[in-house]
Amino acid sequence: MTRTVSVIGAGIGAQHLTGYAALPDDYRIHSICDLDAERGQAAADAHDGCRYIQDFKDVLADPDVDIVDICLPPHLHFSAIMEALDAGKIVVCEKPLVASLAEVDQLAEKVAQTDGIVAPVFQYRYGLGTAQLLALIEAGLAGKCYAGTLETHWDRDAAYYAIPWRGTWKGERGGALLGHAIHIHDLLPWLLAPVAQVFADTATRVNDIEVEDCAALSLRMGDGALITSSVTLGSAGNTSRMRLNFEGFTVESDHAPYSLAAKPWHFTARAPTTQAQIDDVLADVTEAKTGFVGMFEALADALDGNGGREVTLEDGRRSLEFVTAVYASAKANAPVTLPLGRDHPMYGGWVPEG
Ligand SMILES: NC(=O)c1ccc[n+]([C@@H]2O[C@H](COP(=O)([O-])OP(=O)(O)OC[C@H]3O[C@@H](n4cnc5c(N)ncnc54)[C@H](O)[C@@H]3O)[C@@H](O)[C@H]2O)c1
């Protein structure tokens, strides 16, 4: 089925439009909405039939729009999602979905009341590299994961933080952990098991901003795997990397910062698993749509009744629970175990008072 989509916010939203445009059987682009007419019109002009709309309310009122894809600054996500659900729209929303476990639980209640759908954005999941790893796990060649490392080593300077909402607790709601490393951290529970414990240290060392731009995390996964995650926005260039040591092989991801899974990943067998067994499985995994295209394809499949690969509201909640635990651990300088209850002091949010 083909659904019409309006993208709200023409920053990263312009790339979402390109993603939808690559799937013409699943999506028809209706419009791009942005308060900034020049930016919005430029994004609209890049796609046949795409209208520019300035007022979000006009999008919500239009019965021709099936899907509202929210690419607004983080502090606007919660209210925009609630309004879009009330208007009966299917909602896609950029990360970070909202700013607390309390807000995500309110979204879940609204979803139940309106029979709605909220699809958070985690496009790093999609691509050949992750498809290869999932195939090897499914083939029974991985075994348990012992330990691994994650790196989010990116470069962000003062020009990046010139946009007023960035770098502030009020506008961005968090720093590198919420904005940049959130993608690679989403891969962990998806590939391994829920996070059981986090010990986090954070610091602001690179830019003159309120929120953290460096972090060192030590994680214990629900299956016992021990993972360390190193995060900085003060690297020479931009590199992401995941390296996981399973019983049957060690996998190292590609290092592309914004499309970690686009290219094949590197798998090295570990006895008694042989490289030939691994190569046999990988021979059947030759292509997978990547990034936003892969994510929107999985969403379309789910909307058509063939779910399983889409990002769900539960995934969005799990990501926010992890972020909450990280900030709680950094504040207390102590390990925090998950899951977090509704009585957790940061259930209502991690943004510092004042
Ligand atoms: N998934 C990813 O890889 C990725 C990458 C970049 C940004 N993001 C996320 O996407 C979101 C947007 O980030 P960005 O970098 O594109 O921000 P941005 O500031 O560049 O763009 C946001 C746009 O929203 C518009 N806007 C603000 N309020 C509006 C309103 N009420 N109605 C209509 N338009 C309005 C602004 O004019 C602006 O053009 C953030 O949540 C960010 O974290 C995700």
Side-chain angles (χ1 to χ4, degrees), residues 265-280:
W265 287 6
H266 192 69
F267 298 87
T268 307
R270 185 175 180 277
T273 304
T274 64
Q275 200 66 37
Q277 285 176 298
I278 287 177
D279 293 346
D280 265 2

PDB file of all heavy atoms in Angstrom, residues 265-280:
ATOM      1  N   TRP A 265      30.579  -6.011   7.181  1.00  0.00           N
ATOM      2  CA  TRP A 265      31.378  -6.023   8.404  1.00  0.00           C
ATOM      3  C   TRP A 265      32.402  -7.154   8.310  1.00  0.00           C
ATOM      4  O   TRP A 265      32.315  -8.031   7.443  1.00  0.00           O
ATOM      5  CB  TRP A 265      30.471  -6.191   9.631  1.00  0.00           C
ATOM      6  CG  TRP A 265      29.690  -4.932   9.940  1.00  0.00           C
ATOM      7  CD1 TRP A 265      29.652  -3.785   9.196  1.00  0.00           C
ATOM      8  CD2 TRP A 265      28.821  -4.702  11.065  1.00  0.00           C
ATOM      9  NE1 TRP A 265      28.830  -2.862   9.793  1.00  0.00           N
ATOM     10  CE2 TRP A 265      28.311  -3.381  10.935  1.00  0.00           C
ATOM     11  CE3 TRP A 265      28.426  -5.462  12.166  1.00  0.00           C
ATOM     12  CZ2 TRP A 265      27.425  -2.825  11.863  1.00  0.00           C
ATOM     13  CZ3 TRP A 265      27.551  -4.901  13.090  1.00  0.00           C
ATOM     14  CH2 TRP A 265      27.065  -3.591  12.944  1.00  0.00           C
ATOM     15  N   HIS A 266      33.373  -7.111   9.226  1.00  0.00           N
ATOM     16  CA  HIS A 266      34.486  -8.056   9.155  1.00  0.00           C
ATOM     17  C   HIS A 266      34.303  -9.138  10.228  1.00  0.00           C
ATOM     18  O   HIS A 266      34.228  -8.815  11.419  1.00  0.00           O
ATOM     19  CB  HIS A 266      35.793  -7.279   9.389  1.00  0.00           C
ATOM     20  CG  HIS A 266      36.997  -8.061   9.060  1.00  0.00           C
ATOM     21  ND1 HIS A 266      37.337  -8.410   7.767  1.00  0.00           N
ATOM     22  CD2 HIS A 266      37.943  -8.601   9.847  1.00  0.00           C
ATOM     23  CE1 HIS A 266      38.443  -9.109   7.787  1.00  0.00           C
ATOM     24  NE2 HIS A 266      38.823  -9.257   9.039  1.00  0.00           N
ATOM     25  N   PHE A 267      34.234 -10.389   9.782  1.00  0.00           N
ATOM     26  CA  PHE A 267      33.983 -11.500  10.713  1.00  0.00           C
ATOM     27  C   PHE A 267      35.182 -12.445  10.709  1.00  0.00           C
ATOM     28  O   PHE A 267      35.579 -12.941   9.656  1.00  0.00           O
ATOM     29  CB  PHE A 267      32.725 -12.271  10.301  1.00  0.00           C
ATOM     30  CG  PHE A 267      31.475 -11.420  10.329  1.00  0.00           C
ATOM     31  CD1 PHE A 267      31.098 -10.662   9.225  1.00  0.00           C
ATOM     32  CD2 PHE A 267      30.686 -11.355  11.470  1.00  0.00           C
ATOM     33  CE1 PHE A 267      29.958  -9.863   9.259  1.00  0.00           C
ATOM     34  CE2 PHE A 267      29.550 -10.562  11.519  1.00  0.00           C
ATOM     35  CZ  PHE A 267      29.191  -9.817  10.413  1.00  0.00           C
ATOM     36  N   THR A 268      35.729 -12.713  11.887  1.00  0.00           N
ATOM     37  CA  THR A 268      36.859 -13.636  12.003  1.00  0.00           C
ATOM     38  C   THR A 268      36.440 -14.811  12.877  1.00  0.00           C
ATOM     39  O   THR A 268      36.034 -14.611  14.037  1.00  0.00           O
ATOM     40  CB  THR A 268      38.070 -12.921  12.651  1.00  0.00           C
ATOM     41  OG1 THR A 268      38.328 -11.731  11.913  1.00  0.00           O
ATOM     42  CG2 THR A 268      39.299 -13.810  12.636  1.00  0.00           C
ATOM     43  N   ALA A 269      36.540 -16.015  12.317  1.00  0.00           N
ATOM     44  CA  ALA A 269      36.076 -17.215  13.033  1.00  0.00           C
ATOM     45  C   ALA A 269      36.937 -17.516  14.246  1.00  0.00           C
ATOM     46  O   ALA A 269      38.128 -17.178  14.290  1.00  0.00           O
ATOM     47  CB  ALA A 269      36.086 -18.415  12.095  1.00  0.00           C
ATOM     48  N   ARG A 270      36.299 -18.170  15.202  1.00  0.00           N
ATOM     49  CA  ARG A 270      36.988 -18.582  16.425  1.00  0.00           C
ATOM     50  C   ARG A 270      36.619 -20.047  16.664  1.00  0.00           C
ATOM     51  O   ARG A 270      35.437 -20.395  16.686  1.00  0.00           O
ATOM     52  CB  ARG A 270      36.510 -17.682  17.562  1.00  0.00           C
ATOM     53  CG  ARG A 270      37.202 -17.894  18.869  1.00  0.00           C
ATOM     54  CD  ARG A 270      36.716 -16.846  19.876  1.00  0.00           C
ATOM     55  NE  ARG A 270      37.394 -17.072  21.130  1.00  0.00           N
ATOM     56  CZ  ARG A 270      37.005 -17.969  22.031  1.00  0.00           C
ATOM     57  NH1 ARG A 270      35.926 -18.700  21.834  1.00  0.00           N
ATOM     58  NH2 ARG A 270      37.694 -18.134  23.135  1.00  0.00           N
ATOM     59  N   ALA A 271      37.632 -20.907  16.861  1.00  0.00           N
ATOM     60  CA  ALA A 271      37.405 -22.354  16.977  1.00  0.00           C
ATOM     61  C   ALA A 271      36.399 -22.653  18.099  1.00  0.00           C
ATOM     62  O   ALA A 271      36.418 -21.974  19.125  1.00  0.00           O
ATOM     63  CB  ALA A 271      38.732 -23.050  17.274  1.00  0.00           C
ATOM     64  N   PRO A 272      35.505 -23.624  17.880  1.00  0.00           N
ATOM     65  CA  PRO A 272      35.493 -24.564  16.750  1.00  0.00           C
ATOM     66  C   PRO A 272      34.767 -24.065  15.499  1.00  0.00           C
ATOM     67  O   PRO A 272      34.717 -24.774  14.500  1.00  0.00           O
ATOM     68  CB  PRO A 272      34.768 -25.779  17.344  1.00  0.00           C
ATOM     69  CG  PRO A 272      33.803 -25.190  18.323  1.00  0.00           C
ATOM     70  CD  PRO A 272      34.497 -23.990  18.906  1.00  0.00           C
ATOM     71  N   THR A 273      34.195 -22.863  15.547  1.00  0.00           N
ATOM     72  CA  THR A 273      33.582 -22.342  14.313  1.00  0.00           C
ATOM     73  C   THR A 273      34.687 -22.103  13.281  1.00  0.00           C
ATOM     74  O   THR A 273      35.774 -21.616  13.638  1.00  0.00           O
ATOM     75  CB  THR A 273      32.856 -21.012  14.598  1.00  0.00           C
ATOM     76  OG1 THR A 273      31.918 -21.230  15.620  1.00  0.00           O
ATOM     77  CG2 THR A 273      32.138 -20.486  13.367  1.00  0.00           C
ATOM     78  N   THR A 274      34.397 -22.406  12.015  1.00  0.00           N
ATOM     79  CA  THR A 274      35.419 -22.193  10.983  1.00  0.00           C
ATOM     80  C   THR A 274      35.025 -21.020  10.090  1.00  0.00           C
ATOM     81  O   THR A 274      33.848 -20.673   9.977  1.00  0.00           O
ATOM     82  CB  THR A 274      35.570 -23.431  10.081  1.00  0.00           C
ATOM     83  OG1 THR A 274      34.332 -23.625   9.375  1.00  0.00           O
ATOM     84  CG2 THR A 274      35.901 -24.672  10.899  1.00  0.00           C
ATOM     85  N   GLN A 275      36.047 -20.457   9.455  1.00  0.00           N
ATOM     86  CA  GLN A 275      35.782 -19.342   8.539  1.00  0.00           C
ATOM     87  C   GLN A 275      34.894 -19.808   7.387  1.00  0.00           C
ATOM     88  O   GLN A 275      34.059 -19.038   6.887  1.00  0.00           O
ATOM     89  CB  GLN A 275      37.115 -18.781   8.020  1.00  0.00           C
ATOM     90  CG  GLN A 275      37.022 -17.369   7.467  1.00  0.00           C
ATOM     91  CD  GLN A 275      36.670 -16.327   8.531  1.00  0.00           C
ATOM     92  OE1 GLN A 275      37.102 -16.402   9.661  1.00  0.00           O
ATOM     93  NE2 GLN A 275      35.824 -15.367   8.157  1.00  0.00           N
ATOM     94  N   ALA A 276      35.045 -21.080   6.993  1.00  0.00           N
ATOM     95  CA  ALA A 276      34.222 -21.598   5.889  1.00  0.00           C
ATOM     96  C   ALA A 276      32.738 -21.596   6.271  1.00  0.00           C
ATOM     97  O   ALA A 276      31.859 -21.267   5.459  1.00  0.00           O
ATOM     98  CB  ALA A 276      34.684 -23.012   5.526  1.00  0.00           C
ATOM     99  N   GLN A 277      32.436 -21.943   7.526  1.00  0.00           N
ATOM    100  CA  GLN A 277      31.033 -21.916   7.976  1.00  0.00           C
ATOM    101  C   GLN A 277      30.489 -20.485   7.912  1.00  0.00           C
ATOM    102  O   GLN A 277      29.358 -20.258   7.476  1.00  0.00           O
ATOM    103  CB  GLN A 277      30.933 -22.419   9.419  1.00  0.00           C
ATOM    104  CG  GLN A 277      31.066 -23.917   9.586  1.00  0.00           C
ATOM    105  CD  GLN A 277      31.049 -24.275  11.073  1.00  0.00           C
ATOM    106  OE1 GLN A 277      31.918 -23.868  11.839  1.00  0.00           O
ATOM    107  NE2 GLN A 277      30.044 -25.039  11.468  1.00  0.00           N
ATOM    108  N   ILE A 278      31.300 -19.548   8.354  1.00  0.00           N
ATOM    109  CA  ILE A 278      30.871 -18.142   8.337  1.00  0.00           C
ATOM    110  C   ILE A 278      30.670 -17.679   6.898  1.00  0.00           C
ATOM    111  O   ILE A 278      29.637 -17.091   6.558  1.00  0.00           O
ATOM    112  CB  ILE A 278      31.907 -17.272   9.079  1.00  0.00           C
ATOM    113  CG1 ILE A 278      31.773 -17.543  10.584  1.00  0.00           C
ATOM    114  CG2 ILE A 278      31.739 -15.793   8.773  1.00  0.00           C
ATOM    115  CD1 ILE A 278      32.750 -16.827  11.451  1.00  0.00           C
ATOM    116  N   ASP A 279      31.628 -17.984   6.058  1.00  0.00           N
ATOM    117  CA  ASP A 279      31.541 -17.521   4.666  1.00  0.00           C
ATOM    118  C   ASP A 279      30.340 -18.132   3.948  1.00  0.00           C
ATOM    119  O   ASP A 279      29.717 -17.489   3.093  1.00  0.00           O
ATOM    120  CB  ASP A 279      32.849 -17.836   3.922  1.00  0.00           C
ATOM    121  CG  ASP A 279      34.017 -17.007   4.473  1.00  0.00           C
ATOM    122  OD1 ASP A 279      33.756 -16.035   5.219  1.00  0.00           O
ATOM    123  OD2 ASP A 279      35.186 -17.360   4.186  1.00  0.00           O
ATOM    124  N   ASP A 280      29.985 -19.357   4.291  1.00  0.00           N
ATOM    125  CA  ASP A 280      28.803 -20.003   3.706  1.00  0.00           C
ATOM    126  C   ASP A 280      27.541 -19.205   3.999  1.00  0.00           C
ATOM    127  O   ASP A 280      26.699 -18.993   3.126  1.00  0.00           O
ATOM    128  CB  ASP A 280      28.616 -21.394   4.330  1.00  0.00           C
ATOM    129  CG  ASP A 280      29.248 -22.467   3.479  1.00  0.00           C
ATOM    130  OD1 ASP A 280      29.852 -22.099   2.440  1.00  0.00           O
ATOM    131  OD2 ASP A 280      29.141 -23.654   3.861  1.00  0.00           O
TER     132      ASP A 280
END
